[in-house]
């Protein structure tokens, strides 16, 4: 199992529309990726390690697939549409990491 994490850094002066992200972008991503995406979780940052500190990331999405190939096969045909929607909810350049889930 692999996890594709999409992280949006909490940067001063940047915008992130969580309402659009949750109601428009994420449902569109789920529809485009179909059954290849086994699980999709969205996190909204609330705070950092120290009480009252800002979160490092304003939002994160974690998408689970059976393999890197399964992800690439599902994402490839829709990459332009999915990535093209980003300006509708943020001006933050997402950080994308692919990880192997160990536990």
């Amino acid at each position: 199992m692999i996890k594709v994490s999409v992280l949006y850094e909490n940067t001063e002066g940047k915008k992130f529309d969580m309402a659009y992200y949750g109601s428009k972008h994420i449902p569109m991503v789920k529809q485009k990726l179909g059954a290849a995406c086994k699980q999709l979780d969205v996190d909204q940052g609330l705070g950092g390690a120290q009480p009252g500190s800002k979160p490092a990331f304003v939002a994160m999405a974690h998408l689970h697939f059976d393999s890197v190939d399964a992800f690439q096969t599902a994402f490839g045909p829709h990459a332009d549409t999915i990535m093209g929607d980003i300006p509708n909810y943020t001006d933050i350049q997402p950080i994308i990491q692919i990880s192997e889930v160990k536990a």
Side-chain angles (χ1 to χ4, degrees):
M1 175 81 54
I2 64 117
K3 177 170 60 175
V4 178
S5 296
V6 184
L7 308 128
Y8 298 91
E9 283 186 295
N10 190 5
T11 306
E12 195 69 37
K14 297 289 186 175
K15 71 168 183 102
F16 192 93
D17 183 344
M18 185 59 80
Y20 181 96
Y21 188 64
S23 68
K24 304 277 188 197
H25 184 75
I26 292 299
M28 181 264 296
V29 169
K30 285 181 181 178
Q31 186 271 324
K32 298 288 186 200
L33 298 178
C37 183
K38 304 301 183 188
Q39 180 179 333
L40 194 158
D41 300 311
V42 174
D43 302 341
Q44 181 175 7
L46 297 178
Q50 299 299 317
S53 65
K54 293 182 179 182
F57 299 96
V58 66
M60 301 177 219
H62 305 285
L63 301 89
H64 296 254
F65 297 85
D66 287 333
S67 65
V68 173
D69 186 57
F71 162 66
Q72 291 171 339
T73 299
F75 181 75
H78 307 290
D80 289 343
T81 301
I82 292 170
M83 300 304 284
D85 192 45
I86 293 172
N88 291 322
Y89 61 89
T90 190
D91 55 358
I92 301 168
Q93 179 66 40
I95 298 167
I96 300 171
Q97 177 170 309
I98 299 173
S99 305
E100 185 175 2
V101 177
K102 293 293 193 177

